[in-house]
Amino acid sequence: MNILDGKKVSEKVLENVKERVSSLSKKPYLNVILVGDDAPSKIYVNNKRKAAEKVGIRSNVIELPSDTDEQTLLDLIKNLNYDDEVTGIMVQLPLPEHINKNKIVEAINPGKDVDGFHPENVGKLVLGLEPYFYPATPQGILMLLDEYNIQTEGKHAVVIGRSNIVGKPMAQMLLNRNATVTVCHSFTPNLDEIIKTADIIVSAVGKKIVRCKMVKKNSVIVDVGIFRDSNGKLTGDIDFDVVSPFCDFISPVPGGVGPMTIASLMYNASKVYI
Ligand code: GUN
């Protein structure tokens, strides 16, 4: 068993981003909008701010109260779209329920949509065209696989979870790399049987789901889940100690996909289209 060391690889990616930023004539300026006081979101946003600082990307975190109305947020995004100084905009999700997430995502200029969530970027991804930005988590996962020379072509990749942030773009990006992709979700009846045939498993569910007897020898396992177990310990979708002896590669939690997501977002934030 080999560890997919996201911490180590992310440092290498961040070094490259830093070098790239230092050579740019127009310096990137990332604006992150955080609405409300969701505790994990605050931590994620702070990590993004710190990573930006590390690679020389200017950043601005705009914190708004949870009762901010949709129009106020739309007006703010419009101003950021028009501001030539601002090269990247991201709105941290989840948003409070009274705000229509899709409307917000659609309002962002696709050339500044560092999350890669705008329909124009998603559409281009699906069509195999070049989007301005690829979503950070799946892009970070592919960077991690590339670092370990893990091939996707002709492999059976099983993606568990179908969110717009991870599952769907992950499946599409693996398909674009010639994997045979199966997407599983909470309505999939025969998950065990499907996972048994997987060469690559990407689990993005947020609960313990993959057990050792499910995985094929020589499989590659990527654990996107991150949550606290009943003892308050950070853990992923995969029972690492139990499953890891049965596979070829596995990403740990923490220290796997999490740091790669941040590094991948910084890679995006270093791209300047205006
Ligand atoms: N919430 C959880 N992951 C993400 C992400 O990648 N981008 C944004 N904007 N919000 C998130």
Side-chain angles (χ1 to χ4, degrees), residues 32-33 38 41 44-45 48 89-94 105 114-115 117 135-138 165-166 261 265:
V32 182
I33 304 172
D38 179 59
S41 291
Y44 296 145
V45 166
K48 288 168 189 175
I89 303 168
M90 59 164 296
V91 179
Q92 186 65 28
L93 303 174
V105 169
V114 289
D115 269 323
F117 294 166
T137 302
I165 296 179
V166 185
T261 295
L265 180 71

